[in-house]
Amino acid sequence: MAIIVQKYGGSSVGTPEKIKNVANTVVNKVKAGNSLVVVVSAMGDTTDDLIALARQITDNPDKRELDALLSTGEMMSCALLAMAIKDLGYDAISYTAYQIGIKTSGQYGKSLIDDINADRMKKSLDEGKIIIAAGFQGINDEGDVTTLGRGGSDTTAVAIAVKLNGVCEIYTDVDGIYSVDPRKYKNAKKLDEIDYEEMLELSSLGAQVMHSRSIELAQKYNIPVYVGLSNSNIRGTVIKGVDTMNLESKPVTGLATSDEDIAITVKDIKNDINIISNLFESVAEKKINVDMISQTAPIDGKVNVSFTIPKDDMKECLTILKSYFDNNQIDIDKDITKFSIVGIGMKTTSGVVAKMFKLFRENNIAVKMITTSEIRITCAIKQEDKMKTISIIAEKFNL
Amino acid sequence: MAIIVQKYGGSSVGTPEKIKNVANTVVNKVKAGNSLVVVVSAMGDTTDDLIALARQITDNPDKRELDALLSTGEMMSCALLAMAIKDLGYDAISYTAYQIGIKTSGQYGKSLIDDINADRMKKSLDEGKIIIAAGFQGINDEGDVTTLGRGGSDTTAVAIAVKLNGVCEIYTDVDGIYSVDPRKYKNAKKLDEIDYEEMLELSSLGAQVMHSRSIELAQKYNIPVYVGLSNSNIRGTVIKGVDTMNLESKPVTGLATSDEDIAITVKDIKNDINIISNLFESVAEKKINVDMISQTAPIDGKVNVSFTIPKDDMKECLTILKSYFDNNQIDIDKDITKFSIVGIGMKTTSGVVAKMFKLFRENNIAVKMITTSEIRITCAIKQEDKMKTISIIAEKFNL
């Protein structure tokens, strides 16, 4: 008897009617002979509503208490789904994080799952119960309730699948993973499967379908994760380890863009590794997430360094820069779009960069910065070139 | 340094603004040199809203899941109050029932507190923290969340006061305990103090100021409980062990009425203890709460038995009666008001019954049934006589 761990997002359980629909879907899977663990997010906008409530108390809610507050959203939806399933004549039981020992560590609001005590769940499954587990939450060593960050219920589901040796199905409001965001490129193709690493790159590049840590966890334990619509015949996407030697695999699987960053260039820095490393250490201390970094070759013992940071961190970053450099050394470019192509096939296929640059040149697309990893190429381009670039690249690489 | 356990009801924490007011009140008590534990109910109508949500899922919500659902209301208000206090620069920490080990037993929805593990609270108080504890909830031996029934937060507060050897203050939306419900008798006097037993009798007779079990618990451990308005100069009422030998104590402390019952009379029962005990056993099995019972002396080996039950249980009770007796033996009187006077002074003052009956006779008030305890006299009267009876008795006994 297969153990299936399903996760339903907030929009799937947004109303009592939708909760009853999920109950029916779950019961049908049980009728088909499976053991079910269902992880649910908070109903609809509950988490946002709770945050708004906290902000009516104070602009700066205590992080421990905010986690305690937010965790109630998932407890509510769990209890309601368990009621709905019991109402259909099937035995269900809701569990909070402390009841199934979801141990976490790290900061409030973005804790990591260390372990889950699977005993109670195994016992309940043996007794024929359908388990409804609260996503997004855990308990740290102090016994405090912690949350895993936005989308953390995905990670709860994968972690439970790992512990119970089950398969994982993430039901969301998109019908699968696309090579390109369909809102940006209408001919975007849905992928039947995607490799963990590709999905990770796409997630970090702004494809907000899945919580990144859930993919890392699935990759670590090699658990396939299905992503798609619930109650639908439309086939979704399986995230798994894809055989890169497959001759038919395409070099590029997906494409992502983000307008959330700015580029900062510091000119005429003395080419001293201490200066540059001190700078990036100071930036890191302020938890500013530096993404693309490029450095020009030294001329007359001086170099230029460019890097991108989230828009919101600009002010804080400038304060740091001014403590190291003169104002006229610092240049800010707000007009950038990060444009990335991702594909595990790039490992074994050469010429992808060359092909891309040829297309850029032919179409007069200026590249401001470029960084690459083994399976990703990211360029900073002008924002006005974004839609054109998406079309050209998606078409040529058959995305 | 005194430990004060305060409880704030749902209306006291009904909005973010009111929560901030409570935070201020709490901080002032701390500034005055006290250690504070604050027990809060769910905000405003949250509990009712959650019940309504459950009923949108099913007419008959699973009791375990309903308790899991309802318990989230108190978790929310706790976290919000802790945030509000921290925002004032004082250290506060919210605790759920499982975090401070509030162990319960019994049925879901009306569990009893068996014990509380005070260690974590003591440690937090030693660290100078203000504890915000979730009322109304506990954890049973199976690790399930249970609730204590409507008003159960009062019992949480008293139980914590017992464990921490503190004093208990219940803040609610009434300014104290009155000898008569002020809505029914405008000259009703507020009591400075009331004995535990008197308060228990009044509670069981429909004075819904406090959770009955909280009073039993306070009495058992002889913890004085203050009841009143928060943030007010109006003096409330202290529930405590009152010295009954005090010459100035009045024989009657309070008066209560209830229109929630009906009287059933069964005529011409063979005077066989088995029949009557079997009847009441069958009624008890259906959890029907029989209150007043009176039996006439046997005539020709036959007796009449009258008793009152809650209106809502009439149908079920009749089904039982019909399995024992003929239809024409059963008589139902829906026109009754239970009228009770309560006073620990009755133990030592004779003639209270006589005085009451004299007043009834002079004012032409018919008494249908009567039962008494050591500190209470309850009569069933006609509903139309209720207001008149309240005025007469309240005036003559100076209530």
Side-chain angles (χ1 to χ4, degrees), chain B residues 83-111:
Chain B
M83 283 176 198
I85 292 173
K86 290 206 110 170
D87 201 46
L88 297 173
Y90 284 75
D91 201 5
I93 188 161
S94 74
Y95 283 135
T96 62
Y98 92 87
Q99 289 174 323
I100 49 174
I102 301 181
K103 298 294 291 179
T104 53
S105 60
Q107 288 177 274
Y108 296 112
K110 41 185 167 177
S111 287

PDB file of all heavy atoms in Angstrom, chain B residues 83-111:
ATOM      1  N   MET B  83       2.828  40.410  22.011  1.00  0.00           N
ATOM      2  CA  MET B  83       3.423  41.424  21.124  1.00  0.00           C
ATOM      3  C   MET B  83       3.184  42.824  21.666  1.00  0.00           C
ATOM      4  O   MET B  83       4.084  43.674  21.652  1.00  0.00           O
ATOM      5  CB  MET B  83       2.736  41.392  19.744  1.00  0.00           C
ATOM      6  CG  MET B  83       3.155  40.282  18.852  1.00  0.00           C
ATOM      7  SD  MET B  83       2.122  40.380  17.358  1.00  0.00           S
ATOM      8  CE  MET B  83       2.407  38.715  16.745  1.00  0.00           C
ATOM      9  N   ALA B  84       1.949  43.070  22.112  1.00  0.00           N
ATOM     10  CA  ALA B  84       1.585  44.410  22.583  1.00  0.00           C
ATOM     11  C   ALA B  84       2.403  44.790  23.812  1.00  0.00           C
ATOM     12  O   ALA B  84       2.847  45.937  23.951  1.00  0.00           O
ATOM     13  CB  ALA B  84       0.090  44.469  22.894  1.00  0.00           C
ATOM     14  N   ILE B  85       2.626  43.823  24.700  1.00  0.00           N
ATOM     15  CA  ILE B  85       3.404  44.111  25.910  1.00  0.00           C
ATOM     16  C   ILE B  85       4.869  44.335  25.553  1.00  0.00           C
ATOM     17  O   ILE B  85       5.512  45.262  26.047  1.00  0.00           O
ATOM     18  CB  ILE B  85       3.241  42.976  26.941  1.00  0.00           C
ATOM     19  CG1 ILE B  85       1.801  42.971  27.479  1.00  0.00           C
ATOM     20  CG2 ILE B  85       4.236  43.133  28.093  1.00  0.00           C
ATOM     21  CD1 ILE B  85       1.456  41.800  28.368  1.00  0.00           C
ATOM     22  N   LYS B  86       5.406  43.503  24.659  1.00  0.00           N
ATOM     23  CA  LYS B  86       6.805  43.693  24.236  1.00  0.00           C
ATOM     24  C   LYS B  86       6.984  45.064  23.588  1.00  0.00           C
ATOM     25  O   LYS B  86       8.016  45.703  23.733  1.00  0.00           O
ATOM     26  CB  LYS B  86       7.227  42.595  23.253  1.00  0.00           C
ATOM     27  CG  LYS B  86       7.351  41.224  23.932  1.00  0.00           C
ATOM     28  CD  LYS B  86       8.335  40.323  23.200  1.00  0.00           C
ATOM     29  CE  LYS B  86       9.573  40.144  24.049  1.00  0.00           C
ATOM     30  NZ  LYS B  86      10.505  39.126  23.568  1.00  0.00           N
ATOM     31  N   ASP B  87       5.952  45.482  22.880  1.00  0.00           N
ATOM     32  CA  ASP B  87       6.011  46.790  22.231  1.00  0.00           C
ATOM     33  C   ASP B  87       6.111  47.920  23.257  1.00  0.00           C
ATOM     34  O   ASP B  87       6.592  49.005  22.940  1.00  0.00           O
ATOM     35  CB  ASP B  87       4.766  46.974  21.357  1.00  0.00           C
ATOM     36  CG  ASP B  87       4.972  48.018  20.277  1.00  0.00           C
ATOM     37  OD1 ASP B  87       6.032  47.971  19.616  1.00  0.00           O
ATOM     38  OD2 ASP B  87       4.102  48.883  20.107  1.00  0.00           O
ATOM     39  N   LEU B  88       5.663  47.677  24.471  1.00  0.00           N
ATOM     40  CA  LEU B  88       5.768  48.681  25.543  1.00  0.00           C
ATOM     41  C   LEU B  88       7.109  48.582  26.268  1.00  0.00           C
ATOM     42  O   LEU B  88       7.348  49.280  27.254  1.00  0.00           O
ATOM     43  CB  LEU B  88       4.629  48.501  26.556  1.00  0.00           C
ATOM     44  CG  LEU B  88       3.200  48.716  26.032  1.00  0.00           C
ATOM     45  CD1 LEU B  88       2.170  48.338  27.083  1.00  0.00           C
ATOM     46  CD2 LEU B  88       3.004  50.169  25.602  1.00  0.00           C
ATOM     47  N   GLY B  89       7.972  47.675  25.790  1.00  0.00           N
ATOM     48  CA  GLY B  89       9.307  47.571  26.366  1.00  0.00           C
ATOM     49  C   GLY B  89       9.406  46.601  27.531  1.00  0.00           C
ATOM     50  O   GLY B  89      10.406  46.598  28.249  1.00  0.00           O
ATOM     51  N   TYR B  90       8.376  45.792  27.741  1.00  0.00           N
ATOM     52  CA  TYR B  90       8.425  44.788  28.813  1.00  0.00           C
ATOM     53  C   TYR B  90       8.509  43.404  28.191  1.00  0.00           C
ATOM     54  O   TYR B  90       7.968  43.159  27.110  1.00  0.00           O
ATOM     55  CB  TYR B  90       7.191  44.912  29.721  1.00  0.00           C
ATOM     56  CG  TYR B  90       7.320  46.099  30.644  1.00  0.00           C
ATOM     57  CD1 TYR B  90       7.134  47.392  30.155  1.00  0.00           C
ATOM     58  CD2 TYR B  90       7.692  45.933  31.972  1.00  0.00           C
ATOM     59  CE1 TYR B  90       7.304  48.500  30.981  1.00  0.00           C
ATOM     60  CE2 TYR B  90       7.847  47.034  32.811  1.00  0.00           C
ATOM     61  CZ  TYR B  90       7.656  48.307  32.311  1.00  0.00           C
ATOM     62  OH  TYR B  90       7.830  49.393  33.133  1.00  0.00           O
ATOM     63  N   ASP B  91       9.182  42.493  28.892  1.00  0.00           N
ATOM     64  CA  ASP B  91       9.387  41.170  28.316  1.00  0.00           C
ATOM     65  C   ASP B  91       8.172  40.284  28.607  1.00  0.00           C
ATOM     66  O   ASP B  91       7.778  40.099  29.756  1.00  0.00           O
ATOM     67  CB  ASP B  91      10.649  40.537  28.916  1.00  0.00           C
ATOM     68  CG  ASP B  91      11.188  39.426  28.030  1.00  0.00           C
ATOM     69  OD1 ASP B  91      10.637  39.232  26.926  1.00  0.00           O
ATOM     70  OD2 ASP B  91      12.156  38.761  28.434  1.00  0.00           O
ATOM     71  N   ALA B  92       7.576  39.777  27.538  1.00  0.00           N
ATOM     72  CA  ALA B  92       6.406  38.912  27.693  1.00  0.00           C
ATOM     73  C   ALA B  92       6.594  37.679  26.827  1.00  0.00           C
ATOM     74  O   ALA B  92       7.362  37.695  25.869  1.00  0.00           O
ATOM     75  CB  ALA B  92       5.140  39.651  27.264  1.00  0.00           C
ATOM     76  N   ILE B  93       5.910  36.604  27.176  1.00  0.00           N
ATOM     77  CA  ILE B  93       6.016  35.373  26.395  1.00  0.00           C
ATOM     78  C   ILE B  93       4.677  34.652  26.433  1.00  0.00           C
ATOM     79  O   ILE B  93       4.059  34.521  27.488  1.00  0.00           O
ATOM     80  CB  ILE B  93       7.172  34.483  26.929  1.00  0.00           C
ATOM     81  CG1 ILE B  93       7.417  33.301  25.998  1.00  0.00           C
ATOM     82  CG2 ILE B  93       6.927  34.009  28.370  1.00  0.00           C
ATOM     83  CD1 ILE B  93       8.793  32.663  26.196  1.00  0.00           C
ATOM     84  N   SER B  94       4.196  34.248  25.258  1.00  0.00           N
ATOM     85  CA  SER B  94       2.913  33.544  25.193  1.00  0.00           C
ATOM     86  C   SER B  94       3.150  32.049  25.311  1.00  0.00           C
ATOM     87  O   SER B  94       4.149  31.519  24.826  1.00  0.00           O
ATOM     88  CB  SER B  94       2.210  33.840  23.861  1.00  0.00           C
ATOM     89  OG  SER B  94       2.834  33.158  22.798  1.00  0.00           O
ATOM     90  N   TYR B  95       2.243  31.383  26.005  1.00  0.00           N
ATOM     91  CA  TYR B  95       2.328  29.932  26.142  1.00  0.00           C
ATOM     92  C   TYR B  95       0.997  29.280  25.795  1.00  0.00           C
ATOM     93  O   TYR B  95      -0.050  29.696  26.286  1.00  0.00           O
ATOM     94  CB  TYR B  95       2.698  29.545  27.583  1.00  0.00           C
ATOM     95  CG  TYR B  95       4.163  29.745  27.926  1.00  0.00           C
ATOM     96  CD1 TYR B  95       4.534  30.342  29.119  1.00  0.00           C
ATOM     97  CD2 TYR B  95       5.161  29.328  27.048  1.00  0.00           C
ATOM     98  CE1 TYR B  95       5.879  30.511  29.447  1.00  0.00           C
ATOM     99  CE2 TYR B  95       6.500  29.501  27.367  1.00  0.00           C
ATOM    100  CZ  TYR B  95       6.858  30.094  28.558  1.00  0.00           C
ATOM    101  OH  TYR B  95       8.176  30.268  28.874  1.00  0.00           O
ATOM    102  N   THR B  96       1.063  28.242  24.986  1.00  0.00           N
ATOM    103  CA  THR B  96      -0.126  27.428  24.722  1.00  0.00           C
ATOM    104  C   THR B  96      -0.222  26.372  25.831  1.00  0.00           C
ATOM    105  O   THR B  96       0.704  26.205  26.634  1.00  0.00           O
ATOM    106  CB  THR B  96      -0.007  26.709  23.377  1.00  0.00           C
ATOM    107  OG1 THR B  96       1.121  25.837  23.434  1.00  0.00           O
ATOM    108  CG2 THR B  96       0.190  27.694  22.234  1.00  0.00           C
ATOM    109  N   ALA B  97      -1.336  25.645  25.824  1.00  0.00           N
ATOM    110  CA  ALA B  97      -1.552  24.635  26.865  1.00  0.00           C
ATOM    111  C   ALA B  97      -0.447  23.582  26.852  1.00  0.00           C
ATOM    112  O   ALA B  97       0.009  23.126  27.898  1.00  0.00           O
ATOM    113  CB  ALA B  97      -2.909  23.966  26.663  1.00  0.00           C
ATOM    114  N   TYR B  98       0.014  23.202  25.664  1.00  0.00           N
ATOM    115  CA  TYR B  98       1.040  22.145  25.656  1.00  0.00           C
ATOM    116  C   TYR B  98       2.376  22.668  26.140  1.00  0.00           C
ATOM    117  O   TYR B  98       3.175  21.924  26.727  1.00  0.00           O
ATOM    118  CB  TYR B  98       1.126  21.463  24.281  1.00  0.00           C
ATOM    119  CG  TYR B  98       2.135  22.063  23.339  1.00  0.00           C
ATOM    120  CD1 TYR B  98       3.465  21.654  23.353  1.00  0.00           C
ATOM    121  CD2 TYR B  98       1.762  23.038  22.437  1.00  0.00           C
ATOM    122  CE1 TYR B  98       4.391  22.210  22.490  1.00  0.00           C
ATOM    123  CE2 TYR B  98       2.673  23.603  21.581  1.00  0.00           C
ATOM    124  CZ  TYR B  98       3.978  23.183  21.608  1.00  0.00           C
ATOM    125  OH  TYR B  98       4.880  23.754  20.773  1.00  0.00           O
ATOM    126  N   GLN B  99       2.621  23.972  25.949  1.00  0.00           N
ATOM    127  CA  GLN B  99       3.903  24.522  26.375  1.00  0.00           C
ATOM    128  C   GLN B  99       4.024  24.625  27.894  1.00  0.00           C
ATOM    129  O   GLN B  99       5.123  24.579  28.423  1.00  0.00           O
ATOM    130  CB  GLN B  99       4.135  25.894  25.715  1.00  0.00           C
ATOM    131  CG  GLN B  99       4.423  25.759  24.214  1.00  0.00           C
ATOM    132  CD  GLN B  99       4.504  27.076  23.488  1.00  0.00           C
ATOM    133  OE1 GLN B  99       3.764  28.005  23.787  1.00  0.00           O
ATOM    134  NE2 GLN B  99       5.404  27.183  22.527  1.00  0.00           N
ATOM    135  N   ILE B 100       2.905  24.788  28.575  1.00  0.00           N
ATOM    136  CA  ILE B 100       2.979  24.827  30.039  1.00  0.00           C
ATOM    137  C   ILE B 100       2.301  23.603  30.649  1.00  0.00           C
ATOM    138  O   ILE B 100       1.969  23.585  31.828  1.00  0.00           O
ATOM    139  CB  ILE B 100       2.389  26.132  30.635  1.00  0.00           C
ATOM    140  CG1 ILE B 100       1.015  26.427  30.037  1.00  0.00           C
ATOM    141  CG2 ILE B 100       3.329  27.292  30.408  1.00  0.00           C
ATOM    142  CD1 ILE B 100       0.324  27.615  30.701  1.00  0.00           C
ATOM    143  N   GLY B 101       2.137  22.580  29.817  1.00  0.00           N
ATOM    144  CA  GLY B 101       1.682  21.288  30.325  1.00  0.00           C
ATOM    145  C   GLY B 101       0.368  21.327  31.086  1.00  0.00           C
ATOM    146  O   GLY B 101       0.286  20.825  32.204  1.00  0.00           O
ATOM    147  N   ILE B 102      -0.647  21.918  30.489  1.00  0.00           N
ATOM    148  CA  ILE B 102      -1.982  21.884  31.120  1.00  0.00           C
ATOM    149  C   ILE B 102      -2.616  20.543  30.751  1.00  0.00           C
ATOM    150  O   ILE B 102      -3.131  20.359  29.647  1.00  0.00           O
ATOM    151  CB  ILE B 102      -2.864  23.056  30.654  1.00  0.00           C
ATOM    152  CG1 ILE B 102      -2.196  24.387  31.001  1.00  0.00           C
ATOM    153  CG2 ILE B 102      -4.262  22.971  31.302  1.00  0.00           C
ATOM    154  CD1 ILE B 102      -2.990  25.624  30.603  1.00  0.00           C
ATOM    155  N   LYS B 103      -2.510  19.579  31.679  1.00  0.00           N
ATOM    156  CA  LYS B 103      -2.977  18.217  31.397  1.00  0.00           C
ATOM    157  C   LYS B 103      -4.466  18.116  31.710  1.00  0.00           C
ATOM    158  O   LYS B 103      -4.918  18.535  32.773  1.00  0.00           O
ATOM    159  CB  LYS B 103      -2.227  17.213  32.283  1.00  0.00           C
ATOM    160  CG  LYS B 103      -0.732  17.174  32.048  1.00  0.00           C
ATOM    161  CD  LYS B 103      -0.381  16.656  30.669  1.00  0.00           C
ATOM    162  CE  LYS B 103      -0.714  15.170  30.526  1.00  0.00           C
ATOM    163  NZ  LYS B 103      -0.387  14.670  29.158  1.00  0.00           N
ATOM    164  N   THR B 104      -5.207  17.550  30.778  1.00  0.00           N
ATOM    165  CA  THR B 104      -6.651  17.422  30.977  1.00  0.00           C
ATOM    166  C   THR B 104      -7.095  15.979  30.838  1.00  0.00           C
ATOM    167  O   THR B 104      -6.376  15.128  30.295  1.00  0.00           O
ATOM    168  CB  THR B 104      -7.425  18.255  29.936  1.00  0.00           C
ATOM    169  OG1 THR B 104      -6.970  17.886  28.634  1.00  0.00           O
ATOM    170  CG2 THR B 104      -7.220  19.735  30.147  1.00  0.00           C
ATOM    171  N   SER B 105      -8.289  15.708  31.327  1.00  0.00           N
ATOM    172  CA  SER B 105      -8.919  14.413  31.091  1.00  0.00           C
ATOM    173  C   SER B 105     -10.404  14.658  30.896  1.00  0.00           C
ATOM    174  O   SER B 105     -10.894  15.757  31.094  1.00  0.00           O
ATOM    175  CB  SER B 105      -8.688  13.483  32.279  1.00  0.00           C
ATOM    176  OG  SER B 105      -9.245  14.049  33.431  1.00  0.00           O
ATOM    177  N   GLY B 106     -11.087  13.623  30.462  1.00  0.00           N
ATOM    178  CA  GLY B 106     -12.527  13.750  30.254  1.00  0.00           C
ATOM    179  C   GLY B 106     -12.856  13.978  28.796  1.00  0.00           C
ATOM    180  O   GLY B 106     -12.009  13.806  27.922  1.00  0.00           O
ATOM    181  N   GLN B 107     -14.096  14.381  28.565  1.00  0.00           N
ATOM    182  CA  GLN B 107     -14.586  14.496  27.189  1.00  0.00           C
ATOM    183  C   GLN B 107     -14.072  15.743  26.494  1.00  0.00           C
ATOM    184  O   GLN B 107     -13.831  16.771  27.122  1.00  0.00           O
ATOM    185  CB  GLN B 107     -16.115  14.575  27.225  1.00  0.00           C
ATOM    186  CG  GLN B 107     -16.788  13.278  27.584  1.00  0.00           C
ATOM    187  CD  GLN B 107     -18.290  13.478  27.660  1.00  0.00           C
ATOM    188  OE1 GLN B 107     -18.819  13.873  28.677  1.00  0.00           O
ATOM    189  NE2 GLN B 107     -18.966  13.219  26.548  1.00  0.00           N
ATOM    190  N   TYR B 108     -13.936  15.646  25.161  1.00  0.00           N
ATOM    191  CA  TYR B 108     -13.659  16.840  24.376  1.00  0.00           C
ATOM    192  C   TYR B 108     -14.777  17.848  24.633  1.00  0.00           C
ATOM    193  O   TYR B 108     -15.922  17.471  24.857  1.00  0.00           O
ATOM    194  CB  TYR B 108     -13.632  16.506  22.882  1.00  0.00           C
ATOM    195  CG  TYR B 108     -12.520  15.566  22.497  1.00  0.00           C
ATOM    196  CD1 TYR B 108     -12.793  14.271  22.071  1.00  0.00           C
ATOM    197  CD2 TYR B 108     -11.196  15.978  22.559  1.00  0.00           C
ATOM    198  CE1 TYR B 108     -11.780  13.401  21.722  1.00  0.00           C
ATOM    199  CE2 TYR B 108     -10.172  15.118  22.208  1.00  0.00           C
ATOM    200  CZ  TYR B 108     -10.468  13.827  21.787  1.00  0.00           C
ATOM    201  OH  TYR B 108      -9.461  12.977  21.445  1.00  0.00           O
ATOM    202  N   GLY B 109     -14.430  19.114  24.610  1.00  0.00           N
ATOM    203  CA  GLY B 109     -15.448  20.152  24.754  1.00  0.00           C
ATOM    204  C   GLY B 109     -15.796  20.459  26.195  1.00  0.00           C
ATOM    205  O   GLY B 109     -16.388  21.486  26.487  1.00  0.00           O
ATOM    206  N   LYS B 110     -15.484  19.543  27.100  1.00  0.00           N
ATOM    207  CA  LYS B 110     -15.728  19.826  28.524  1.00  0.00           C
ATOM    208  C   LYS B 110     -14.742  19.060  29.391  1.00  0.00           C
ATOM    209  O   LYS B 110     -15.117  18.410  30.361  1.00  0.00           O
ATOM    210  CB  LYS B 110     -17.175  19.532  28.920  1.00  0.00           C
ATOM    211  CG  LYS B 110     -17.764  18.272  28.338  1.00  0.00           C
ATOM    212  CD  LYS B 110     -19.240  18.157  28.715  1.00  0.00           C
ATOM    213  CE  LYS B 110     -19.923  17.089  27.882  1.00  0.00           C
ATOM    214  NZ  LYS B 110     -21.309  16.879  28.235  1.00  0.00           N
ATOM    215  N   SER B 111     -13.468  19.185  29.014  1.00  0.00           N
ATOM    216  CA  SER B 111     -12.430  18.474  29.762  1.00  0.00           C
ATOM    217  C   SER B 111     -12.155  19.145  31.098  1.00  0.00           C
ATOM    218  O   SER B 111     -12.480  20.308  31.302  1.00  0.00           O
ATOM    219  CB  SER B 111     -11.137  18.433  28.935  1.00  0.00           C
ATOM    220  OG  SER B 111     -11.273  17.524  27.877  1.00  0.00           O
TER     221      SER B 111
END
